[in-house]
Amino acid sequence: MIFKIPEHRKPLIKRLYRVTLIIIGLLIVIFNDAFGDNEAFGIFGLLYFLFLFVSIAYWIFKQIRSIIRLKHEKAKTELMHLKSQVNPHFFFNMLNNLYGLVDKDSKKAQELILKLSDMMRYSIYDGQKETVLLSEEITYLKNYIELHKMRYHKTIDIQFNDDIKDNDYQIMPLLFIILVENAFKHGVENLRENAYVYITMTAKNNQVHFEVKNNFDNAIDNEQGGIGLDNLKRRLELVYPKQHHLSFSKENDVFEAQLTISKL
């Protein structure tokens, strides 16, 4: 039978252990003059200081491990918080659209509800996972695009070209959606006609490259950025440090975002 020390007793035992080590050390120093030449006393002293060194080294190791664990837990908590901030406004907007569509076109409303349900399920459950399949992330993006197509009362040129072939990598969920949301929010939303969003995703050689290009209204002072992109940058820093490249460019009335993630 293995004797297990009760949790409430452990702090007391640790204090007694430290006090005992200190007392033994003081006794060795005090009686060193009297018994210093004694071989047994010398061996005892040597073993004591060796044991003391091991104990200090173990204590330092535990402190370092505790600091690393705390940093990891802090990063994990921050990451979960960042994930929870992803696209809630999109779901609210879609629910508002559904409310107005139920009486006008019930069939279309049903289609929207099914797609929205799939997206919410993915965001709530798969979105909390550390990684998902890249193909699942693409399906999520395509559902998002389809919902936008169904809710707008204007023609939009939306193209999504993906090439992942057999390279169905594991990747952190809900990364690319922020860039796609940005393109719709700052581009499509403000254009009455000729709006477009072109999306390309390729995966090869253990690397994923994602590109979003959209036009926007130059007359509107609407800087593409904000909390969403800050969220994305921080998540990339936490999960893919020195393994990603995120860039933005703006020329005339065209905005382009590119994200490359390596070493998946």
Side-chain angles (χ1 to χ4, degrees):
M1 182 177 178
I2 299 173
F3 177 72
K4 188 175 181 180
I5 301 171
E7 287 296 324
H8 69 281
R9 294 284 186 184
K10 286 183 178 180
L12 177 61
I13 292 172
K14 286 180 181 178
R15 282 196 295 271
L16 289 173
Y17 170 75
R18 286 194 290 266
V19 170
T20 302
L21 281 179
I22 293 170
I23 292 173
I24 293 174
L26 288 172
L27 289 173
I28 290 173
V29 172
I30 292 170
F31 292 103
N32 183 59
D33 290 337
F35 302 100
D37 295 332
N38 186 283
E39 185 179 351
F41 183 83
I43 293 172
F44 175 77
L46 179 64
L47 290 173
Y48 167 79
F49 285 109
L50 181 63
F51 181 75
L52 184 64
F53 173 78
V54 171
S55 297
I56 293 171
Y58 178 68
W59 179 83
I60 292 172
F61 168 76
K62 284 184 67 177
Q63 297 306 308
I64 293 172
R65 187 177 63 178
S66 178
I67 291 169
I68 293 172
R69 186 184 294 117
L70 283 172
K71 286 185 176 180
H72 176 72
E73 288 299 321
K74 182 181 177 183
K76 190 174 180 180
T77 301
E78 183 181 358
L79 187 60
M80 291 298 291
H81 175 66
L82 290 170
K83 283 182 179 181
S84 69
Q85 295 177 358
V86 175
N87 64 36
H89 65 275
F90 166 72
F91 292 120
F92 291 138
N93 289 339
M94 286 306 305
L95 287 170
N96 286 331
N97 278 280
L98 280 170
Y99 180 79
L101 191 64
V102 169
D103 290 332
K104 296 178 182 178
D105 190 339
S106 60
K107 187 176 180 180
K108 188 174 181 180
Q110 288 174 359
E111 292 178 31
L112 281 170
I113 290 170
L114 285 175
K115 287 189 176 295
L116 188 62
S117 174
D118 287 340
M119 286 192 67
M120 291 183 74
R121 188 181 300 110
Y122 184 87
S123 292
I124 294 169
Y125 297 108
D126 294 302
Q128 303 307 313
K129 296 178 181 177
E130 290 187 7
T131 61
V132 294
L133 288 174
L134 185 58
S135 57
E136 294 174 334
E137 191 75 357
I138 289 174
T139 299
Y140 178 78
L141 293 174
K142 288 182 176 179
N143 278 338
Y144 176 88
I145 291 168
E146 286 302 313
L147 282 171
H148 270 295
K149 284 181 179 179
M150 295 171 76
R151 83 181 186 90
Y152 282 123
H153 301 290
K154 57 186 176 184
T155 302
I156 311 166
D157 183 11
I158 303 176
Q159 298 178 24
F160 191 152
N161 298 309
D162 60 277
D163 182 13
I164 65 170
K165 295 181 179 177
D166 298 327
N167 300 317
D168 200 357
Y169 299 118
Q170 291 282 341
I171 196 162
M172 180 169 64
L174 305 175
L175 277 181
F176 310 108
I177 187 65
I178 296 172
L179 297 177
V180 178
E181 280 186 327
N182 200 55
F184 277 94
K185 180 181 177 182
H186 298 283
V188 175
E189 294 282 355
N190 299 321
L191 288 169
R192 294 184 178 180
E193 56 184 17
N194 301 322
Y196 67 78
V197 178
Y198 300 151
I199 303 169
T200 304
M201 178 183 283
T202 57
K204 60 181 180 181
N205 301 325
N206 208 29
Q207 184 180 83
V208 170
H209 181 74
F210 187 73
E211 180 181 306
V212 184
K213 185 183 293 185
N214 66 276
N215 58 343
F216 62 93
D217 189 349
N218 254 325
I220 299 176
D221 184 16
N222 196 357
E223 187 68 24
Q224 302 203 31
I227 296 173
L229 292 183
D230 290 340
N231 181 315
L232 174 62
K233 291 173 185 176
R234 183 57 183 152
R235 290 172 67 199
L236 288 168
E237 287 171 4
L238 288 170
V239 181
Y240 299 106
K242 298 181 180 180
Q243 296 175 0
H244 73 275
H245 178 71
L246 178 64
S247 64
F248 306 98
S249 63
K250 186 192 294 185
E251 187 174 350
N252 298 324
D253 63 345
V254 178
F255 184 86
E256 185 174 351
Q258 294 192 44
L259 171 59
T260 301
I261 301 175
S262 308
K263 298 180 181 179
L264 298 172

